[in-house]
Amino acid sequence: MNRKNVLVFGELPDDQLARLTAVHEVTVAHPRDPVGRAAFDATLPTAQGLIGSSYPIDQGVIDAATRLEVVSSVSVGVDNYALKALHARGITLCHTPGVLDETVADTVFALMLAASRRVVELANLVRDGRWTQGIGDDLFGFDVHGKTLGLLGFGRIGQAIARRAALGFGMPVLYHARHAVDLSTQAPELAGRAAHTPLDELLGRSDFVVAMLPLTEHTRGMIDQRVFGLMKPGAVFVNGGRGPTVREDALLAALDQGTLRAAGLDVFAKEPLPADSPLRTHPRVTPLPHVGSATHETRHAMAELATTNLLQALAGERPTAVYDTATA
Ligand code: DGY
């Protein structure tokens, strides 16, 4: 078989690297560190396949990669990729849908519970030796079960969150998406338990508003002052999608003005979160370092699918999970 040049930008487990090196010439270069960046730049012009995540594959990278045939992302989100440039060059883009849905839904539920029941704040109280008597109602949380969940975005992950909420926590679910989902055929367990709802109505009725939006030109900055202003007073906001879909100044204002009771955030406008961001230390924010899919099992499954996608594409086969860049 014709060995091709593969550039791995980021971490790939040893067993997946072994699958690649068995059939291709592989260079591993971490472009985020200066030494890796030089190796990445030097290898780009000969690379036929790229695999990795969490690094912008922009127009400049694509222009430098003159022999590039396929980019395989170890992520489901594709906002790090210059989609139009890939499409214009006929370069295949692969991603990892499906294998992370349940894990990301677990993370979102952890944030809903942590934010509403003040889990981190109360754990810190114990750790700091401040548990000297029974806590008073100033430190009580609010129930999650039975409350109304409003989902912004109702793809595979949104539906996994809805199943937890409706079936496990007895929560009525409202969702806002471009199209209503035919639950009777696509998610029968949610039929009668989740309702397609206009955005403004959803915001006014939901105790928990969870954003699971991809980042596109339509969703960037979509969750703004108007949206926070329409939320039910005392709502909890959770973002498990992409940070730039939220105007963080508006989020902070909604927290400080008391519209929002709390927020659980796995994603931010700028990642890693800058040291001076007020969201880092805000007492009513539970921040996580973008770990929605970060379990051993799921990150391995993502790497495995991304490796399979790359091997298939370089062999001239249709990859298991292709992203349609024509829709960009
Ligand atoms: C994804 O796969 O898009 C997750 O957000 C991890 O980056």
Side-chain angles (χ1 to χ4, degrees):
M1 187 182 155
N2 176 17
R3 288 176 78 84
K4 295 194 170 179
N5 298 321
V6 169
L7 173 54
V8 180
F9 60 102
E11 301 296 332
L12 209 57
D14 288 347
D15 60 341
Q16 301 310 311
L17 268 180
R19 289 177 69 202
L20 290 177
T21 50
V23 274
H24 296 300
E25 301 303 322
V26 177
T27 304
V28 180
H30 300 282
R32 284 196 187 278
D33 71 64
V35 177
R37 177 72 213 211
F40 179 81
D41 288 345
T43 311
L44 267 183
T46 53
Q48 288 148 299
L50 287 182
I51 181 168
S53 67
S54 307
Y55 187 77
I57 303 300
D58 58 18
Q59 178 85 51
V61 170
I62 293 164
D63 287 347
T66 50
R67 296 179 62 196
L68 193 60
E69 296 169 22
V70 55
V71 179
S72 184
S73 185
V74 191
S75 71
V76 66
V78 293
D79 44 288
N80 262 328
Y81 301 89
L83 301 179
K84 288 194 170 75
L86 290 171
H87 185 65
R89 284 265 307 277
I91 297 166
T92 302
L93 176 63
C94 307
H95 66 148
T96 63
V99 294
L100 72 175
D101 304 342
E102 301 299 329
T103 299
V104 177
D106 284 350
T107 306
V108 166
F109 240 86
L111 281 173
M112 288 167 58
L113 289 161
S116 200
R117 296 297 308 273
R118 305 171 71 165
V119 171
V120 176
E121 184 184 352
L122 292 169
N124 284 337
L125 177 138
V126 178
R127 287 212 175 99
D128 297 348
R130 288 181 284 121
W131 185 25
T132 52
Q133 55 186 9
I135 66 160
D137 61 5
D138 56 323
L139 285 173
F140 289 177
F142 285 84
D143 284 335
V144 176
H145 66 269
K147 298 288 176 66
T148 298
L149 169 64
L151 278 166
L152 308 182
F154 199 58
R156 282 178 298 260
I157 299 173
Q159 291 176 31
I161 297 166
R163 280 196 299 279
R164 282 159 178 73
L167 307 178
F169 284 73
M171 300 172 77
V173 177
L174 312 176
Y175 71 90
H176 177 70
R178 264 179 300 170
H179 306 289
V181 174
D182 179 0
L183 295 174
S184 63
T185 55
Q186 291 184 43
E189 67 280 18
L190 290 174
R193 295 188 160 100
H196 187 229
T197 308
L199 178 62
D200 293 7
E201 182 187 337
L202 176 150
L203 297 170
R205 288 175 54 196
S206 300
D207 301 294
F208 290 82
V209 176
V210 171
M212 288 309 305
L213 298 167
L215 181 61
T216 67
E217 61 192 44
H218 303 295
T219 62
R220 185 179 291 277
M222 177 185 141
I223 305 172
D224 57 8
Q225 187 183 14
R226 189 193 85 87
V227 167
F228 285 115
L230 288 171
M231 287 183 197
K232 191 169 167 176
V236 171
F237 174 70
V238 171
N239 192 3
R242 284 294 183 263
T245 62
V246 174
R247 289 291 308 257
E248 290 182 344
D249 51 350
L251 167 62
L252 281 160
L255 283 163
D256 291 338
Q257 288 155 12
T259 321
L260 281 185
R261 184 156 50 79
L265 307 171
D266 186 38
V267 290
F268 298 89
K270 188 166 175 1
E271 297 177 4
L273 188 60
D276 62 354
S277 168
L279 293 171
R280 194 170 65 85
T281 51
H282 196 289
R284 285 185 287 120
V285 171
T286 305
L288 289 180
H290 198 148
V291 289
S293 61
T295 63
H296 290 288
E297 300 93 327
T298 291
R299 283 290 170 86
H300 189 271
M302 291 165 70
E304 188 169 23
L305 175 53
T307 303
T308 299
N309 284 333
L310 184 70
L311 290 171
Q312 289 167 325
L314 290 177
E317 298 160 16
R318 183 172 171 79
T320 302
V322 180
Y323 185 87
D324 182 4
T325 51
T327 60

